[in-house]
Amino acid sequence: MQVELWRQPELESLYPILCSIEGACRDINRLMRRISTDNLDGYQSSKGGEVGSRSVNIQGEDQKKLDVIANRIMKTALCCSGKISIVASEEEDEPCLCSSVTDNAAFTGDYAAIFDPLDGSSNIDSGLPTGTIFGVYNTPSYGSKDPQAVVRQKGNNLVVAGYCLYSASCHIVITMRTGLHCFTLDDVTGEFYLTKSNIRIPRSGPIYSFNDANADQWPSAVRYFLDDFKKERVSQREAIDNKKPSARYMGALVADIHNIIHYGGIFGYPGTTKSPNGKIRLLYEANPISLILEEAGGMSSNGFGRILDMPVSSVHLRTPVFLGSVEEVKALERYFEFHTGQKPPPPPSTPPASAASA
Ligand code: F6P
């Protein structure tokens, strides 16, 4: 991945971190391809628990075997880069100091890394796409060295954000705040080669990615928006590409976002009546993915404002997310403004049947 760095000598200090991410993604990708042959599917059993009992993470979610392995791979690789002093993983209760990971005091540096080691892990057993999401912050040279406080920075402070997609191909899509670039793993040489630079998301697109099994619990703004989107009433999109709206949902944020960046459109995981903040974690998922979208000329919102400006009050905080092409995300914000009574109405719409009870 050094090609991008050769262009920017001022980013040279990030090189060991990028190499460690590259190595970790290569290792996780290899495991993903050997799930069935090496018996890597299924749940992680809990330590010291009853036979057959499952290990759960801080969110109370059952952990897959590969969640645990991928977490260890990412953590070790990042700490061994020698540039990182703090790591925070979605799979762990709390951020920790790299010096405590292997009792090696030399594991320190000017950066902190956050990551979701295996995003979309419910896809593991069926062989569908999954991913790793990561981000790197500067550790402030002043103030607290408390790992919690250091990683609870706004997404806008990220110096690196990226994801690795494990699918038909393995791609690392990464930004160092100078555009978005894609590196693809060559299975023969084992190297990641730059395959797309300065990626741009279409200004508007036909794809909508929502788990609409939750639709009856969504805010009415989202239901009206999607109904109008399907009827092509939301933007001037047809004038841009003449493509009909189309649903795509893979249940793995990385895979759905990769698709949206390619074709344009909108990914949403709204809050529900049961979980008003939705499901996506601000620190580990929403922030890095938001920076990626903005670097590609797209937009990210929680319905009311920019995700990258949200305060991170807790490391496991969740947030509603709407991510994608500028036209669709801006339109969605207009629907929120209207339906919460804050702004003038969006373009006219007929109520969807499901919104009658809103
Ligand atoms: O947050 C984890 C995650 O697996 C995301 O990758 C994905 O977008 C979402 O959850 C899928 O959730 P659901 O199965 O509720 O649609």
Side-chain angles (χ1 to χ4, degrees):
M1 295 211 300
Q2 61 271 40
V3 181
E4 175 58 12
L5 282 173
W6 290 339
R7 288 195 219 133
Q8 302 166 68
E10 71 277 13
L11 295 179
E12 220 165 288
S13 63
L14 292 170
Y15 183 57
I17 301 176
L18 301 183
C19 288
S20 69
I21 291 172
E22 188 178 352
C25 292
R26 190 185 294 117
D27 289 350
I28 298 171
N29 177 62
R30 196 177 300 128
L31 293 172
M32 295 306 297
R33 298 197 185 250
R34 299 198 60 86
I35 292 168
S36 305
T37 48
D38 290 4
N39 191 24
L40 291 167
D41 52 354
Y43 291 97
Q44 173 80 8
S45 38
S46 67
K47 251 192 229 151
E50 291 166 27
V51 180
S53 63
R54 291 173 185 175
S55 164
V56 292
N57 66 14
I58 178 75
Q59 331 270 338
E61 299 160 339
D62 289 328
Q63 284 183 307
K64 294 281 180 72
K65 284 182 205 164
L66 274 178
D67 281 326
V68 176
I69 301 173
N71 185 47
R72 200 166 50 230
I73 291 175
M74 281 297 286
K75 197 168 160 180
T76 313
L78 287 163
C79 285
C80 289
S81 71
K83 293 282 178 186
I84 289 183
S85 53
I86 293 164
V87 278
S89 163
E90 191 197 274
E91 289 298 328
E92 300 198 1
D93 304 6
E94 303 230 340
C96 66
L97 293 170
C98 275
S99 53
S100 72
V101 169
T102 59
D103 288 333
N104 187 336
F107 284 172
T108 181
D110 293 335
Y111 297 97
I114 51 98
F115 59 92
D116 176 359
L118 206 47
D119 165 69
S121 52
S122 60
N123 283 357
I124 291 172
D125 295 359
S126 56
L128 289 178
T130 55
T132 296
I133 304 173
F134 52 86
V136 177
Y137 290 96
N138 276 311
T139 52
S141 49
Y142 53 88
S144 171
K145 285 282 181 211
D146 165 23
Q148 280 264 357
V150 172
V151 299
R152 281 198 336 247
Q153 299 186 47
K154 286 187 182 169
N156 205 28
N157 289 352
L158 281 161
V159 291
V160 177
Y163 63 74
C164 182
L165 171 68
Y166 311 110
S167 186
S169 298
C170 177
H171 302 289
I172 293 180
V173 175
I174 189 165
T175 179
M176 283 154 270
R177 304 200 77 127
T178 53
L180 187 67
H181 313 287
C182 177
F183 296 81
T184 304
L185 181 64
D186 179 333
D187 287 336
V188 177
T189 62
E191 297 291 333
F192 280 91
Y193 295 112
L194 180 66
T195 45
K196 273 186 200 163
S197 54
N198 293 312
I199 300 170
R200 305 302 288 170
I201 180 173
R203 194 168 166 80
S204 175
I207 307 296
Y208 61 101
S209 291
F210 287 72
N211 181 351
D212 84 350
N214 302 325
D216 59 346
Q217 288 198 45
W218 287 342
S220 53
V222 179
R223 286 187 275 168
Y224 277 97
F225 168 83
L226 269 186
D227 195 59
D228 283 351
F229 182 82
K230 291 175 199 169
K231 292 178 182 153
E232 303 184 72
R233 289 178 177 161
V234 159
S235 60
Q236 300 302 310
R237 211 182 45 69
E238 54 290 3
I240 300 176
D241 65 6
N242 203 24
K243 296 226 170 74
K244 293 273 171 228
S246 198
R248 292 285 184 279
Y249 191 75
M250 280 167 269
L253 183 62
V254 166
D256 284 312
I257 289 299
H258 195 72
N259 196 47
I260 293 275
I261 291 175
H262 196 85
Y263 294 109
I266 182 164
F267 171 94
Y269 208 108
T272 60
T273 38
K274 253 196 222 145
S275 309
N277 288 333
K279 182 175 184 193
I280 305 298
R281 284 77 165 175
L282 177 60
L283 180 67
Y284 302 107
E285 299 171 289
N287 274 338
I289 297 292
S290 295
L291 183 61
I292 286 167
L293 277 162
E294 288 195 9
E295 287 287 322
M299 195 172 158
S300 79
S301 172
N302 58 14
F304 297 93
R306 190 178 179 232
I307 288 178
L308 293 174
D309 290 333
M310 289 176 69
V312 184
S313 55
S314 123
V315 289
H316 291 291
L317 183 74
R318 298 171 195 251
T319 177
V321 294
F322 304 97
L323 310 157
S325 298
V326 166
E327 292 282 333
E328 280 73 36
V329 179
K330 270 195 181 155
L332 194 273
E333 282 188 337
R334 285 199 302 274
Y335 278 68
F336 266 100
E337 282 168 356
F338 175 63
H339 286 272
T340 53
Q342 291 175 12
K343 278 276 163 74
S349 66
T350 326
S354 58
S357 59

